Structures are given as C-alpha cells and as structure tokens.
Amino acid sequence: MESNTALAPFYTEASHPASDGAREPAARDAADLLVDALAALGVEYVFGVPGGAIEPLYNALARSARRGGPQAVVARNEQGAAYMADGYARETGRIGVCIATSGPGATNLITGVACAYDNNVPMLVITGQPPIKNFGKGALQESSCTGINTMAMFRPCTRYNSLVSHVEQLPTKLFNALMQAQRAPSGPSHLSIPVDILREPLPDDMETPDFAGLLRRAPAMVDLPAVRQLARLLFSARQPVWLIGDGCGDAANELMQLVQLTDGSFITTPDGKGFINPRHPRYRGVFGFGGHASAAELLSSEPDLVIALGTGFGEFNSGGWSAALLNSRLVHVDDSDENLMRSQMARLHVRGHIKSVCEQLMTLLAPSQNGPEGQLLPFMHPQTARQAYEAMVDSPQAIHSDSAPVKPQRLLATLSERCPPQTRFVADAGNSAAWAVHYLAPHDQRARMPGGAYLPAGKERRTRSSSWLRVTMDFAPMGWAIGSAVGIAMANRRCPVVCLTGDGSYLMNGQEITVAAELGLPVLYVVLNDGALGMVKHGQRLAGAEPIGFQLPKVDFAMMAAAMGIPGHVIRSPKDLDALDFDALLSRQGPTLLDIRIDGEEVPPMNLRMKTLGTAR
C-alpha cells in the first residue's frame, strides 16, 4: 500500500468516522502520536503480537489503517515480528518497526533485535509495561527495574534504550530513538512505554517535532583530504582490488565504474554479494564465509592496494581476520567510526558516505565528462559468464548432477537459472547461507532497455536497498530468513521472494509462513531437508568431534504446509525439481513450500568457520 506521508500527521478523527462500531477517542493520545510519527517517515507496517500492555498502540494502528496510514501485521511469535521488521528495513531503506507486550512478549523480541544490532539494521522497538503506578507491586509481566528488567536486557543490543515515564517525554525520546536508529552505525532503538502512558491524552500545548523534516538525511559528509590521498594511491596502483561490503548498496554503480577506471578487480563480502552481478568479467568471488578460492588467491597474491568499503571486518566478512586482507596494503572506506576502529593496521582510513566518496574519486580519476562513460565494459555473453562462474566454484560437477537425492549445488544452480531477475533471495543461518553465498548466481541481474538491449556495466538502476541476496553475518540466528522473507515481500510486492532455509531452522520458526499465507505474499519457501542440523553434523565430522545432537526427525514439510492451507511439494530428485513451473510458483498470490530432499553427505563450504573455531584438521 502507499502511505500518505505528507498528510498523515494532520489527520483529524472527526473527518474519518469509525467503522464496525468502534468508538474513536475524542482526543489524540500518546499512541496516536507514535503512529503519526511513523506515518511521517513513510513506514507502512508495524510487526508484532498484541497484548494487554500494548493494547492502546494497536487501537491507534487500527485507526491509522482505516485512514490509509501504518497498519499492524500480526506475527506468530515476537521473534518473527523482529525478523519481519528487519526484512522490511533492508528492502525499503526505511526504519523497521516491531512491537510487543510486556514480559515474555518483550523477551521474545530480543534475539531478533540483537540480530538487527549486529547487522546494523535500523529498527524501532516498542514494548509495553503495566501501569506505572503498579511498578514494584508484582504486577503481571512487569518488565521495569522492579520486575523482570527488560530495559537492562535490551541495553547491550540497542543504540538507544529508554523507559517513557511521563507522556511529556514521548516526543523527545521518540525523536532521539529514531535518530539514533538511523545514524551510522545504524541499529535498533528501544522504547518501553507503560500502558497508562500510551493511552494518556496529549496535552493541548504539547509541541511535537517535525519528524519527517528533522530526520531527513543530512548532506553527505566526506573527508576530502583522505579521498584525495586515496586517489593518489590509485593513480600509482597496479590493478587494485576492491572489496565490496554490505554498506555499499547505493554505491554499486559507481564502484563498477571505479573498478574499470583503475583496471582493477573486485570481490565481495558474503553479505555484499547481493549488490553486484556475480557474472561480471571483473568479479573474482566472495571472500569470507562460504567464499571462493579465487577471492582468497587474489588477496594472497599481495596486490599493492586493497580498498575495502562498507564492512566492519567481522569473522565471516574478513576470512577469520585474515592477514591477507588486514594488513598495511588496506584502505578502509566507511561512514561508521565503529567499523573503522576494526582496521587499525590499514594504510588509510577514509571517513564518509560511501556513494559520495566514490563520486569524488570518479571526479578526481576521470575529470573529463567523457571519461568512464564511453569505455564501460560490456557484460560477458551469458554462456561465457556461466562457464566463468562455474570455474570459480567448488565441485562444479555437482551443479549438473542428476543423482538423487538432490545435491545442494544442483538446487542452487537451478534456482539461479529458473527464478526471474527481480527475485529477492534470503538465506538462513547455517548451511543455507553457505550454499547460497558460494553457488547462487542469478542468470541476469541487469536492467533491460527498450528493444531488449542490456544496460552497460555500471548503469544498472539501483537503490540503496536493491540487494538480490540477503544473509545475516555477525549475529546469525536460525529461522531469521523465514520472518525476514515476509518483511521483504510486504515491502516490495513487485518482486518474488525465495527463502532458503534448513529443516532445523524451519522447525524453529516455520509457523511464520502462515503470515505470508494470510497476506497473500508471493514467497517460495525452499526447505533443505536432510534430517539433520547440517552445520553441526559436518562441523563435528570435520573436527573429529563426537557425533551428537545433530539428528532431526523425518518430517514431511509439504504435509505441514497443507495442514495450514499452503501448497507444498516434496522434491526427491533433480527430475522433480526440473518439472516445477517456477513462473507459476513465484507469481502466485501466496506462499508455496518446497520440501527438497537434499544429499546430506555433501559438505558445505564452511572451512572458514572450522578454522576460526580452532577445530579444523
């Protein structure tokens, strides 16, 4: 739905009569102020689970929905609501919002909030409290400092964390929470609001911030002397290497031009892969978890300059803090001091908005307006690109295997070829992410021009959030992708969503598929079913550890889906897989589940994880 962000703060209840017998309040209350602020920011959906301590906020959302403003999406578990808000934020670039009642509702959110914190996803988290007058009396589900202190629990995994004890505090604390969530490094902000404060009428003389105006992104700040120093390094570098991280979404076009201007090559972090075409002629693969030997070999060849952009060098993104990357040849570009602090060995730090830094570099390196534009590399012929990518991956023969059960490599190759170019893939923690990062390579991620011609490299139409592959890195909870897929699909109805998840993850959070069914979302849930916690099983084998705790029961997930009114298919062989009509599955107004019986003996590309755990043999 389209939200009317210009008018939302000025709605009056009198001009929008209630329906279905609901009584509209005579005056706006604190919950209305909160919802109006979200409308001003263009937020369309609020994900959560209702409860008594948060009821006034749901009342405000019901009123908002009737007038075309933000509306509630009910998850099956608050953890799922946080994952949905995460997916929504990643797809839209706006803030994701999740809400929960006090006590266990709040604590159920924490894993999803921690995931957003460690992956720098902007989020507003609202939790309820019993009436403030009942604090310290043993009130039901009290979550303040005199109860089960959820404020203390949220403190380590939020950018802002506060209890609203008086309605007059709400405008200022809400503004601060929204600002902290969206500034670099972005992440979740948490407000805990007692139920009596939420329903309190707003004073007539209360001043409220211009949320839309004041929170508008400030002009991009760039350290120009450092940019000029980087330009001088690039002028003298021989075939530099560019490392593209997950903070580069809106700079992907400029980066492709810089790669060519500098006669360089580029690699990506696992969570940066979704911003580029993996069949680009200058691409050398993923470095880090699930990555490619070609990327590691490129860094091991000791290039004279490596420019890393938009990454914090966590374990998965740095190849286990590889010395081939983290050394004096490194230049680190980022708008977050928190990220820059992790590369103290770098030759140069360049602070600034990454797109703006890239634009300044292009001006310095190619001052003529005709510089890069007329010299852009054409994309490789599809057949040549396919061969080049297959040469990059491990076990290329498995991509073409017709043996049963289905090899994961064959599954990922089929999804790459059969899903339309605009598909959003989201891969769950564990083996699903490893397989996707290494093998997924959509056959065409370029925009088409009239007549079927392709846009040249660096000319793709992109937005900050246009990632075709989403994985979660530093804090990687199982089941994240299941809820995140719902949030992505809610944010962008034009693009089908494919959720890659394991049977272990699905048994944790699979109930969220019913939200996609209720809302008619085109999400294809692909369950890699091998009857095991696959990363645990293979990790134990690779480490020579005791084989314990990885077994899962044999489950027919298609039958589970059918019990929920959702079509499902059991895929036992590549022949079954090839027979699927993916166009029909991905255009259906509702989810479909594929129970893929995969070959559980295939070892995922997880050696990096074993190395950093110190258990590699």
Side-chain angles (χ1 to χ4, degrees):
M1 71 170 231
E2 298 294 330
S3 61
N4 192 331
T5 57
L7 297 179
F10 304 102
Y11 281 119
T12 60
E13 301 298 344
S15 62
H16 298 274
S19 59
D20 301 326
R23 182 175 62 85
E24 299 288 350
R28 293 169 68 244
D29 59 23
D32 288 312
L33 168 63
L34 202 158
V35 174
D36 285 350
L38 299 180
L41 296 175
V43 173
E44 302 157 295
Y45 304 107
V46 174
F47 304 91
V49 178
I54 202 76
E55 181 181 289
L57 186 50
Y58 273 90
N59 291 338
L61 286 167
R63 294 191 289 270
S64 168
R66 287 197 290 271
R67 65 191 182 226
Q71 57 186 278
V73 174
V74 178
R76 304 304 173 246
N77 182 283
E78 290 87 357
Q79 185 181 120
Y83 297 154
M84 292 174 195
D86 178 315
Y88 178 87
R90 294 186 195 225
E91 180 63 26
T92 63
R94 305 185 198 114
I95 194 164
V97 184
C98 57
I99 61 178
T101 192
S102 58
T107 58
N108 281 347
L109 280 175
I110 288 176
T111 297
V113 173
C115 178
Y117 178 84
D118 235 9
N119 288 275
N120 301 126
V121 178
M123 186 181 291
L124 178 65
V125 183
I126 305 293
T127 62
Q129 291 279 1
I132 200 166
K133 66 181 181 180
N134 293 338
F135 281 16
K137 297 180 179 180
L140 178 68
Q141 298 179 345
E142 186 192 338
S143 310
S144 72
C145 61
T146 54
I148 300 299
N149 192 351
T150 58
M151 294 298 300
M153 295 180 194
F154 277 105
R155 188 172 298 119
C157 59
T158 52
R159 303 293 177 189
Y160 183 89
N161 180 48
S162 187
L163 173 75
V164 179
S165 61
H166 297 78
V167 71
E168 291 82 5
Q169 296 175 350
L170 181 59
T172 299
K173 288 191 172 183
L174 177 58
F175 177 80
N176 290 343
L178 291 166
M179 176 169 280
Q180 291 288 344
Q182 296 178 89
R183 65 183 296 184
S186 56
S189 287
H190 172 232
L191 292 178
S192 189
I193 311 176
V195 65
D196 51 332
I197 303 298
L198 279 172
R199 66 165 65 102
E200 187 168 338
L202 297 176
D204 292 336
D205 59 350
M206 175 180 282
E207 293 186 6
T208 58
D210 172 14
F211 289 99
L214 293 173
L215 291 170
R216 188 175 296 116
R217 290 186 183 275
M221 304 294 289
V222 174
D223 183 351
L224 287 176
V227 173
R228 296 189 186 102
Q229 187 175 349
L230 174 55
R232 289 193 291 270
L233 292 173
L234 287 167
F235 270 123
S236 60
R238 294 175 293 103
Q239 297 182 326
V241 174
W242 299 79
L243 173 64
I244 298 175
D246 71 328
C248 296
D250 58 350
N253 296 341
E254 290 77 12
L255 279 166
M256 292 302 97
Q257 295 187 50
L258 285 169
V259 167
Q260 184 168 327
L261 276 172
T262 58
D263 193 29
S265 302
F266 73 96
I267 57 180
T268 70
T269 61
D271 50 1
K273 180 180 179 181
F275 295 121
I276 58 91
N277 187 325
R279 300 183 181 186
H280 190 284
R282 302 268 184 162
Y283 183 50
R284 297 296 178 265
V286 171
F287 182 76
F289 178 72
H292 302 100
S294 54
E297 290 166 1
L298 181 64
L299 291 179
S300 297
S301 68
E302 298 190 356
D304 52 356
L305 192 64
V306 178
I307 309 96
L309 308 98
T311 181
F313 297 119
E315 176 185 329
F316 280 6
N317 285 336
S318 65
W321 307 285
S322 169
L325 171 63
L326 299 176
N327 55 53
S328 60
R329 296 187 295 273
L330 177 69
V331 173
H332 191 183
V333 181
D334 213 292
D335 60 356
S336 166
D337 284 339
E338 188 173 295
N339 282 350
L340 293 171
M341 287 191 300
R342 297 181 181 178
S343 59
Q344 68 274 12
M345 75 299 294
R347 176 186 304 189
L348 176 66
H349 282 163
V350 182
R351 289 173 175 81
H353 179 245
I354 293 172
K355 181 179 175 70
S356 299
V357 169
C358 292
E359 290 171 343
Q360 292 289 335
L361 283 174
M362 288 171 61
T363 299
L364 293 169
L365 295 174
S368 169
Q369 290 187 354
N370 296 323
E373 299 297 331
Q375 307 170 21
L376 292 170
L377 285 172
F379 280 95
M380 291 186 286
H381 184 277
Q383 182 62 32
T384 304
R386 184 179 297 111
Q387 293 171 351
Y389 195 75
E390 289 182 10
M392 183 187 298
V393 302
D394 299 341
S395 306
Q397 68 280 1
I399 291 173
H400 305 286
S401 173
D402 288 328
S403 63
V406 180
K407 292 191 179 297
Q409 301 93 323
R410 173 71 150 82
L411 170 63
L412 272 295
T414 299
L415 292 173
S416 298
E417 295 293 331
R418 300 284 299 279
C419 294
Q422 71 272 25
T423 302
R424 302 292 196 252
F425 294 92
V426 54
D428 228 327
N431 285 0
S432 300
W435 292 122
V437 165
H438 195 88
Y439 286 97
L440 198 61
H443 67 284
D444 179 8
Q445 285 299 325
R446 293 161 289 177
R448 289 185 180 274
M449 298 178 68
Y454 291 115
L455 288 174
K459 287 300 210 178
E460 304 92 332
R461 300 184 184 94
R462 291 186 181 271
T463 64
R464 181 177 179 83
S465 54
S466 60
S467 173
W468 58 263
L469 172 63
R470 292 182 175 89
V471 293
T472 184
M473 289 285 101
D474 296 340
F475 199 89
M478 293 172 63
W480 161 82
I482 298 168
S484 183
V486 172
I488 294 168
M490 290 294 290
N492 188 350
R493 298 269 185 162
R494 297 168 299 173
C495 298
V497 180
V498 174
C499 173
L500 294 161
T501 189
D503 46 348
S505 292
Y506 196 81
L507 287 170
M508 285 189 180
N509 283 349
Q511 71 280 354
E512 303 299 343
I513 193 174
T514 62
V515 181
E518 178 186 4
L519 300 174
L521 302 177
V523 182
L524 182 63
Y525 286 92
V526 180
V527 181
L528 281 65
N529 187 354
D530 60 355
L533 298 172
M535 185 156 283
V536 174
K537 178 180 76 173
H538 289 293
Q540 290 171 353
R541 290 180 178 180
L542 292 170
E546 293 285 349
I548 181 173
F550 63 81
Q551 302 93 340
L552 292 175
K554 293 182 179 179
V555 177
D556 188 323
F557 292 103
M559 289 184 67
M560 283 182 63
M564 300 173 179
I566 298 166
H569 307 271
V570 176
I571 306 301
R572 293 184 171 86
S573 69
K575 183 178 179 181
D576 295 340
L577 185 63
D578 293 341
L580 292 170
D581 184 345
F582 280 90
D583 289 338
L585 295 178
L586 293 171
S587 62
R588 180 179 178 274
Q589 296 304 299
T592 305
L593 183 139
L594 302 182
D595 180 347
I596 312 287
R597 306 300 170 84
I598 65 165
D599 184 350
E601 297 306 304
E602 288 293 316
V603 181
M606 58 179 289
N607 285 334
L608 169 64
R609 180 63 176 152
M610 305 305 299
K611 174 184 174 183
T612 53
L613 285 174
T615 55
R617 293 196 302 172

